[in-house]
Amino acid sequence: MPLDIRVIPCRTDNYAYLLHDPASGETALLDAPEAAPILAALKDTGWSLGQILITHHHADHVEGVEELRAATGARVLGAGEDVHRLPPLDRELAGGDSVEVGGSRGEVIEVPGHTVGHIAFHFPDSRAVFTADSLMALGCGRLFEGTAPMMWESLSRLKELPGDTLVYSGHEYTASNAKFALTIEPDNESLILRSEAIAKARSEDRPTVPALLEDELRTNPFLRADLPEVKTLLDMDGYSDADVFAEIRQRKDDF
């Protein structure tokens, strides 16, 4: 049975996610930007929080951990590589490890680049991957700690997931990401249509997450750095995929 996943807007543009297994009643949280909206969602649903899964150490993803731990007694799981700068962990994780929410098994995927210890969580039975600030809707995270080749390798790993996977990312940046993406591929019909849909959703104050991976593959310039047509548009024929990704990332940084 797939997980019941709730999108929890936090702060000004963050997202947290509640993952609930209906069969067992077990519930996990994916990232903790702030406690209040998450506690409110738990009260509204009547769910009992058992685990907090952390993707990376940035404050806007962990600031609510201690208040939530105190209120619920939830166990905290995060990357062992970042144990020195995460809240105290009850379990240290590495790529290839698995986590369980009731009967649902999630795979830990290492996705360094935005930070060097960033991890993602893939729950295949729920067609869901929680990518936080690695792969975002029509974007990817800035390279605060990692390198362009490192991030390209991480995104390439995520690209291999089934196309019907839903990507749950960490921020509501999609409208601005769409404007940038159109500077890379202004004639991409799928991107034009998606940009229009995103603008409508935001005008109605609706989240643009999750996003379908197959839509990302058709429209997200950071996932398309390996395509000959994109390299031609950037006048980078013959360059490596990682070099093209680096160029796109630099253009977004300057956008």
Side-chain angles (χ1 to χ4, degrees), residues 15-226:
Y15 288 118
Y17 302 99
L18 286 174
L19 290 59
H20 180 74
D21 176 42
S24 67
E26 292 187 21
T27 302
L29 172 70
L30 199 294
D31 281 345
E34 62 175 329
I38 295 164
L39 289 170
L42 289 168
K43 182 178 180 181
D44 288 345
T45 57
W47 296 345
S48 179
L49 185 63
Q51 299 179 78
I52 302 172
L53 310 178
I54 300 299
T55 60
H56 65 296
H57 71 88
H58 284 161
D60 61 335
H61 292 260
V62 301
E63 280 190 347
V65 168
E66 293 306 338
E67 185 176 345
L68 289 164
R69 191 198 320 248
T72 67
R75 299 175 69 243
V76 180
L77 291 70
E81 183 171 345
D82 269 354
V83 67
H84 60 291
R85 54 184 182 174
L86 287 171
L89 299 178
D90 296 291
R91 182 183 169 197
E92 298 178 15
L93 301 171
D97 287 347
S98 62
V99 297
E100 293 184 356
V101 182
S104 289
R105 179 181 176 275
E107 177 192 10
V108 178
I109 304 174
E110 292 183 352
V111 286
H114 180 64
T115 69
V116 294
H118 201 307
I119 57 176
F121 296 86
H122 177 222
F123 288 83
D125 291 345
S126 298
R127 297 190 302 110
V129 62
F130 298 88
T131 56
D133 294 1
S134 54
L135 173 60
M136 298 183 179
L138 278 177
C140 75
R142 285 179 180 265
L143 305 183
F144 287 129
E145 298 175 9
T147 64
M150 180 186 292
M151 182 63 120
W152 174 248
E153 183 177 347
S154 295
L155 295 178
S156 298
R157 198 170 295 126
L158 295 171
K159 283 176 64 170
E160 295 174 359
L161 298 176
D164 64 352
T165 302
L166 289 168
V167 179
Y168 293 81
S169 52
H171 290 274
E172 186 54 68
Y173 293 165
T174 318
S176 60
N177 287 345
K179 291 177 183 177
F180 170 73
L182 285 165
T183 70
I184 303 297
E185 291 188 275
D187 298 322
N188 182 328
E189 280 296 326
S190 295
L191 175 58
I192 292 167
L193 291 172
R194 189 177 178 196
S195 297
E196 292 169 352
I198 288 163
K200 184 174 190 298
R202 295 311 297 151
S203 71
E204 298 169 355
D205 199 31
R206 290 187 285 111
T208 60
V209 298
L212 198 61
L213 181 58
E214 61 187 18
D215 289 340
E216 292 297 316
L217 293 171
R218 285 195 292 261
T219 58
N220 186 330
F222 297 101
L223 297 184
R224 296 170 60 80
D226 56 336

